Amino acid sequence: MISVVIPMYNEAESVAALCGQVNDALATAPWSWEVVFVNDGSSDATVEKLTEQVRRFPDRFLLVDLQRNFGQTAALMAGIDHARGDIIVPMDGDLQNDPKDIARLVAKIGEGFDVVSGWRRNRQDASLRRVLPSRIANKLISVISGVHLHDYGCSLKAYRRDVLVGFRLYGEMHRFVPIFARWQGARITEMVVDHHPRQFGTSKYGLERIFKVLLDLLLVKFLTQYETKPIYVFGGVGAMFFGLSGIATIYAFFLKFFNHISFIQTPLPLMVMFGTMTGIMCILLGLIAEVLVRIYFESQGKTQYTVRKVVRQNGDAPADGKGAA
Ligand code: UDP
Ligand code: MG
């Protein structure tokens, strides 16, 4: 079963057209499907309009109504938690994505991919304010994460459910799901999807999103590469400060013995102290982080690895008794 998950925040004018488009696009689909709408604390008539649609098509549509506005990422998470499908297809509810693309994404998953990322090659948004910053951000995210996709920001993607278990999303992190999935070993690819200009309502984001995305990127880099060994990061930074303090020490002695400049005539002793203190602090923070990691993994029964499958030749008999010696 395919679950299309659509977060909606003040998109009342789009609801009827959206439901019509989804119904049309999926009417002939060869698999069963559902749409999980998430009302993210809208202050307009979105929830009434969605309720009406769910009443009309109770076996296809589901509405998760959040208490207040939690943001797109949290809304998406809520939708995924309520979705029953083994393939999850998130999408925007503002008619900018085209439900006709869903079948193509799902077909690609059928070819053996775990994640198919939509790419709005002909993006229909303000070019200078939206498309350019997003281009730069996508390049940066690709380089830093080592996962090369053209369009992280595109909501329309398809995931096999298995790759979504094991991590929760916070902040503006939904765009980084392919990276998390890749780091867990998922096979990912991308596919060009249609994009339309916004017909109703306004975009919910401004330029401040750039800063949030950059900070999240830093966190993602940290989480994906050092989640199980934070002391390598803290230790590395600590080593840099020790190095700084070492260089300052050598230079201070050099000045004293060759140029006869006393220690206290330069700021070098201050730098030695500063470097040493900060280095020690970094190492200690790293130790605390190691403790936190253990609490994180062990309290939740998480593993540091992800298994695709286990193949066993002459092991224990499976529950149904087949293959017993
Ligand atoms: N959205 C949401 N909660 C928010 C902000 C946005 O559920 O706090 C939804 C919004 O209704 C839309 C999708 O997320 O369905 C993408 O938002 P938007 O179109 O404003 O982003 P843009 O396309 O401009 O990047
Ligand atoms: Mg939009």
Side-chain angles (χ1 to χ4, degrees):
M1 176 147 137
I2 312 294
S3 295
V4 181
V5 178
I6 311 184
M8 307 277 280
Y9 178 51
N10 292 348
E11 311 282 6
E13 299 104 312
S14 304
V15 171
L18 177 68
C19 293
Q21 282 185 11
V22 174
N23 273 329
D24 289 348
L26 299 182
T28 56
W31 17 260
S32 61
W33 56 274
E34 65 172 2
V35 181
V36 182
F37 293 101
V38 183
N39 174 43
D40 186 16
S42 301
S43 51
D44 65 357
T46 303
V47 72
E48 288 80 16
K49 297 256 159 92
L50 284 173
T51 310
E52 189 185 307
Q53 292 289 337
V54 172
R55 294 241 165 83
R56 272 179 68 191
F57 303 99
D59 46 346
R60 294 179 184 169
F61 293 164
L62 174 76
L63 170 61
V64 179
D65 187 15
L66 300 185
Q67 289 274 17
R68 63 166 172 88
N69 180 251
F70 286 93
Q72 189 182 349
T73 302
L76 187 68
M77 215 54 221
I80 293 174
D81 288 341
H82 287 84
R84 289 170 298 163
D86 34 27
I87 296 177
I88 308 283
V89 182
M91 199 176 93
D92 278 354
D94 54 1
L95 306 173
Q96 290 198 268
N97 293 135
D98 198 325
K100 288 198 197 75
D101 291 318
I102 295 174
R104 291 171 46 234
L105 296 177
V106 171
K108 201 80 186 168
I109 295 262
E111 286 174 24
F113 291 100
D114 299 307
V115 177
V116 183
S117 172
W119 171 16
R120 300 164 291 179
R121 183 146 51 178
N122 289 309
R123 188 162 168 193
Q124 305 289 328
D125 279 318
S127 52
L128 205 63
R129 211 169 59 80
R130 304 295 304 274
V131 182
L132 184 70
S134 134
R135 278 254 169 91
I136 298 170
N138 283 316
K139 262 269 139 40
L140 201 68
I141 298 172
S142 291
V143 170
I144 293 183
S145 69
V147 178
H148 296 279
L149 292 177
H150 285 94
D151 193 356
Y152 285 93
C154 179
S155 304
L156 182 57
K157 297 183 193 295
Y159 304 103
R160 264 163 30 86
R161 184 172 210 122
D162 324 8
V163 303
L164 295 178
V165 298
F167 52 83
R168 308 288 300 172
L169 303 173
Y170 303 91
E172 290 289 305
M173 297 274 233
H174 59 273
R175 71 193 63 243
F176 299 122
V177 172
I179 300 178
F180 283 115
R182 181 77 203 91
W183 277 93
Q184 300 205 8
R187 285 164 287 220
I188 68 178
T189 184
E190 66 182 346
M191 187 175 244
V192 174
V193 296
D194 260 345
H195 196 242
H196 305 290
R198 211 180 222 285
Q199 289 180 37
F200 309 105
T202 51
S203 172
K204 310 299 180 290
Y205 297 104
L207 284 175
E208 82 286 351
R209 176 159 68 178
I210 297 174
F211 298 104
K212 293 186 184 168
V213 169
L214 288 180
L215 290 175
D216 279 343
L217 177 61
L218 189 73
L219 181 64
V220 167
K221 176 78 178 172
F222 177 73
L223 286 183
T224 48
Q225 288 187 333
Y226 299 105
E227 189 181 30
T228 56
K229 278 319 287 176
I231 200 161
Y232 292 167
V233 178
F234 288 95
V237 176
M240 265 166 46
F241 279 100
F242 282 132
L244 183 79
S245 128
I247 292 169
T249 310
I250 293 168
Y251 192 47
F253 276 102
F254 177 85
L255 289 180
K256 182 170 174 69
F257 291 118
F258 293 92
N259 297 10
H260 304 289
I261 299 174
S262 152
F263 287 152
I264 53 167
Q265 282 176 286
T266 66
L268 290 170
L270 209 64
M271 282 179 68
V272 175
M273 276 309 294
F274 171 75
T276 311
M277 291 297 288
T278 314
I280 292 172
M281 284 304 163
C282 283
I283 305 281
L284 293 179
L285 277 177
L287 292 176
I288 292 189
E290 287 286 324
V291 174
L292 290 179
V293 164
R294 278 160 184 72
I295 293 173
Y296 172 76
F297 278 98
E298 287 162 24
S299 67
Q300 301 183 51
K302 285 179 188 291
T303 55
Q304 314 72 324
Y305 52 82
T306 48
V307 175
R308 198 186 305 281
K309 65 178 178 211
V310 178
V311 180
R312 199 195 319 254
Q313 188 63 44
N314 289 319
D316 302 326
D320 61 1
K322 268 186 253 161

